[in-house]
Amino acid sequence: MVHKVYVTYNEVHKLCQASADRILNDFQPNLMIAIGGGGYVPARILRSFLKRPYAPNIPIQAIGLSLYESLPSRDPAEPIETPGTKITRTQWLDLSSLEMSNLVGKNILIVDEVDDTRTTLEYAVRELEKDVEAARRNMGGGAETKFSIFVLHNKDKPKKGHLPQDMVDDGRYLAAKTVADVWICYPWEATDIDEHDTRAASQPGY
């Protein structure tokens, strides 16, 4: 049986708040790229905590990647989702516009909700680095672009995907909380937020 953990908006808010100082001091992002759909809400919450006095808000761009697939379950109202085997791009940066050149020389924070198998993060970092490098060459050169990662939850399990070694060595990865290999139900996935919060309130700590 799949063990589900229900996370509330308040918890997400506090995880972002607790992580903001390290992100500001160590990563110093100029731009965030949210991986949809789970990275959208954390990125927006983070932006409020990352804003410096008299400085503009950090821009947020978005990409969409899908790795999960629904499997039949005993309860049709609650299908079981499991990591799939193929990543599908549902949204990506516009490579034909000035958008890519605007990423060259920046400190970019990739935001997602959970690091499960790490396959999605590996794909996102690899493909973004490749596209930004192509844009840098088209510009005739430019400063180095540094990518960092923030996730709300890291599942304590063997990973199928791998991050660049320099990212690991430099500590440019931050998970607000490491949890067991459980199924995490986020509030933006809920169709009944009251029921979701009731389940969250009745569960033991995770």
Side-chain angles (χ1 to χ4, degrees):
M1 181 178 178
V2 176
H3 177 57
K4 292 187 175 183
V5 170
Y6 293 84
V7 176
T8 66
Y9 280 113
N10 275 358
E11 290 177 83
V12 172
H13 194 95
K14 291 175 180 178
L15 289 173
C16 291
Q17 183 177 21
S19 304
D21 281 348
R22 184 184 163 191
I23 292 172
L24 270 175
N25 295 329
D26 294 356
F27 302 165
Q28 300 179 355
N30 312 112
L31 174 74
M32 286 188 279
I33 295 180
I35 299 178
Y40 296 155
V41 175
R44 177 57 190 89
I45 295 172
L46 262 182
R47 188 171 74 167
S48 295
F49 291 116
L50 297 180
K51 190 178 187 310
R52 298 181 184 273
Y54 310 110
N57 279 313
I58 296 175
I60 301 174
Q61 297 192 28
I63 59 175
L65 299 173
S66 177
L67 179 65
Y68 289 84
E69 57 187 2
S70 294
L71 298 180
S73 71
R74 293 181 180 177
D75 184 356
E78 292 193 357
I80 297 172
E81 289 190 333
T82 185
T85 57
K86 181 181 178 182
I87 292 179
T88 302
R89 286 191 189 188
T90 58
Q91 179 180 345
W92 200 254
L93 304 179
D94 185 358
L95 304 182
S96 64
S97 71
L98 293 175
E99 196 167 285
M100 293 307 301
S101 62
N102 290 337
L103 305 185
V104 175
K106 299 292 196 304
N107 293 331
I108 299 174
L109 181 67
I110 299 171
V111 180
D112 206 0
E113 87 275 46
V114 62
D115 180 0
D116 191 335
T117 64
R118 198 162 286 174
T119 307
T120 300
L121 289 173
E122 178 189 50
Y123 180 93
V125 173
R126 182 182 68 242
E127 295 300 304
L128 286 169
E129 286 186 335
K130 181 177 68 177
D131 290 344
V132 171
E133 175 58 23
R136 192 187 69 84
R137 289 197 304 268
N138 289 339
M139 293 168 58
E144 177 186 6
T145 299
K146 284 191 175 182
F147 288 93
S148 303
I149 291 173
F150 170 73
V151 294
L152 295 172
H153 297 99
N154 171 45
K155 292 188 181 182
D156 187 10
K157 61 188 287 187
K159 306 296 187 183
K160 296 180 180 179
H162 303 278
L163 300 177
Q165 193 59 45
D166 64 319
M167 177 180 284
V168 176
D169 293 343
D170 293 346
R172 288 184 278 119
Y173 170 93
L174 174 61
K177 188 171 186 176
T178 296
V179 299
D181 187 13
V182 296
W183 188 261
I184 304 174
C185 301
Y186 290 98
W188 47 84
E189 299 167 344
T191 54
D192 186 332
I193 194 62
D194 293 327
E195 179 184 2
H196 179 96
D197 287 348
T198 297
R199 292 187 179 189
S202 64
Q203 70 189 4
Y206 67 99

